[in-house]
Amino acid sequence: MMKIKMRVFCWVLSLFCAIRTEGFAVRGPAMPLIVQLGASVTLPCSVDTPLPLLELEVQWMREDSGSLVHLFQEGESRPESQSPAYSGRADFLSEEISKGNFSLLLRNVTTEDKGLYKCVVHTVHESNETKVKIDIERLVVTGADLPISAYAGQDVILNCSVDTHVPLKELEVEWIKTNGEILVLLFSEGENRPESQHERFRGRAEFFSEEIPKGNFSLKLRDVKTEDKGEFMCKVHTDRESVNAPAWLQGLGK
Ligand SMILES: *[C@@H]1O[C@H](CO)[C@@H](O)[C@H](O)[C@H]1NC(C)=O
Ligand SMILES: *[C@@H]1O[C@H](CO)[C@@H](O)[C@H](O)[C@H]1NC(C)=O
Ligand SMILES: *[C@@H]1O[C@H](CO)[C@@H](O)[C@H](O)[C@H]1NC(C)=O
Ligand SMILES: *[C@@H]1O[C@H](CO)[C@@H](O)[C@H](O)[C@H]1NC(C)=O
Ligand SMILES: *[C@@H]1O[C@H](CO)[C@@H](O)[C@H](O)[C@H]1NC(C)=O
């Protein structure tokens, strides 16, 4: 009976009631958070209007395993209920909770922290939640497993694949002939840079441009010469890291 009356009342005062009945929306980040190993990260979770602290319960949990990352209940944070993996590493920003900001600071990030989290906010009447995805920044470069054998005059492909979260534009990839540190090919600021290539390789070495967005920075070397024999290095740099992978060219008889 109460409910029906309330509905009619709401229908009449629809604007007022829309605000009342929609309650609060919990906001999180629009995109996955990309974190370096060992670093700290703040997992955003907030509501626009502060909620009464004593009626409030905020659960941070792993969506995948269900384990409890942190809990705020009855006006206090409850570190004793945290799963051991997060004990001492995850904290609310205590001054922020009264402002409706339930973001969580996670320190010393490990590979196991990668995954999906959720921040569930309950009041006596309602609950709402947001999800936060954490990815671990990584740069993995794979070269050629085996030496490539070729005859002089043949064309060869030296593999180099790059797996990273860093956008292409922020990636620099160099192919170097190790002996003599000669620049064979350069990809920088999102583009192939043939002008910086050493003359020995000019017009003979190239990337597969259409493969680059897939992280395939393999080197296509045409018309190989006897002096090309030996080690090549695929060197990949981001702002923070550099990783190399070698490839060998052998044979080169007539
Ligand atoms: C959270 O609240 C928003 C806005 O009221 C709503 O659109 C959304 O469906 C709610 N999400 C959950 C999980 O309840
Ligand atoms: C929550 O608090 C943190 C730390 O002070 C701040 O960086 C973040 O912007 C706050 N979020 C909101 C939605 O106010
Ligand atoms: C961070 O984690 C590593 C590996 O678990 C540990 O050896 C190190 O002591 C931790 N550092 C801090 C500041 O907690
Ligand atoms: C180069 O990569 C391709 C695709 O992954 C693979 O099939 C091929 O065996 C690789 N070649 C060498 C020499 O590692
Ligand atoms: C890169 O692309 C070329 C051309 O499609 C292909 O031959 C090569 O196997 C690819 N390498 C890797 C590592 O995927």
Side-chain angles (χ1 to χ4, degrees), residues 130-253:
T130 189
K131 290 185 182 156
V132 181
K133 187 169 182 227
I134 292 190
D135 275 329
I136 306 297
E137 181 181 284
R138 62 197 215 124
L139 176 59
V140 178
V141 182
T142 314
D145 306 332
L146 298 170
I148 313 290
S149 298
Y151 294 108
Q154 268 191 315
D155 299 348
V156 295
I157 296 172
L158 304 183
N159 275 346
C160 177
S161 350
V162 180
D163 181 3
T164 180
H165 289 104
V166 176
L168 269 188
K169 271 194 162 304
E170 290 162 29
L171 214 57
E172 184 175 282
V173 181
E174 297 175 283
W175 269 103
I176 301 283
K177 178 82 175 71
T178 308
N179 184 2
E181 283 288 308
I182 296 168
L183 185 67
V184 181
L185 263 184
L186 175 66
F187 178 90
S188 167
E189 290 170 3
E191 284 177 49
N192 186 8
R193 305 276 168 190
E195 68 280 7
S196 38
Q197 205 169 23
H198 190 274
E199 59 185 18
R200 225 178 97 181
F201 292 99
R202 195 157 297 153
R204 285 205 297 135
E206 58 194 50
F207 291 113
F208 295 93
S209 308
E210 70 287 0
E211 292 280 323
I212 286 179
K214 299 182 221 161
N216 177 354
F217 284 93
S218 301
L219 162 63
K220 179 169 186 183
L221 186 58
R222 280 195 302 271
D223 185 21
V224 296
K225 306 194 184 310
T226 313
E227 64 266 30
D228 294 342
K229 188 169 163 175
E231 190 184 58
F232 289 72
M233 194 65 78
C234 176
K235 297 186 165 186
V236 183
H237 312 274
T238 67
D239 279 354
R240 295 170 178 156
E241 287 177 281
S242 289
V243 180
N244 300 341
W248 292 271
L249 191 56
Q250 67 180 21
L252 296 171

Side-chain angles (χ1 to χ4, degrees), residues 74-92:
E74 293 167 3
E76 287 176 49
S77 68
R78 305 273 172 192
E80 67 279 7
S81 54
Q82 278 181 291
S83 116
Y86 293 95
S87 175
R89 281 204 304 136
D91 288 297
F92 288 102

Side-chain angles (χ1 to χ4, degrees), residues 9-100:
F9 181 67
C10 286
W11 184 73
V12 174
L13 284 171
S14 57
L15 178 65
F16 170 76
C17 289
I19 294 164
R20 289 284 304 166
T21 54
E22 262 179 35
F24 56 88
V26 176
R27 300 187 193 283
M31 307 228 283
L33 307 175
I34 297 169
V35 193
Q36 260 190 307
L37 280 183
S40 298
V41 60
T42 302
L43 287 69
C45 173
S46 62
V47 291
D48 292 338
T49 313
L51 297 168
L53 289 191
L54 286 174
E55 290 178 17
L56 178 70
E57 181 175 308
V58 181
Q59 285 177 305
W60 269 104
M61 24 205 319
R62 289 290 297 247
E63 170 91 347
D64 30 26
S65 64
S67 59
L68 191 66
V69 179
H70 213 338
L71 177 64
F72 183 92
Q73 205 178 39
E74 293 167 3
E76 287 176 49
S77 68
R78 305 273 172 192
E80 67 279 7
S81 54
Q82 278 181 291
S83 116
Y86 293 95
S87 175
R89 281 204 304 136
D91 288 297
F92 288 102
L93 308 166
S94 35
E95 304 86 65
E96 297 289 333
I97 292 184
S98 59
K99 302 179 201 158

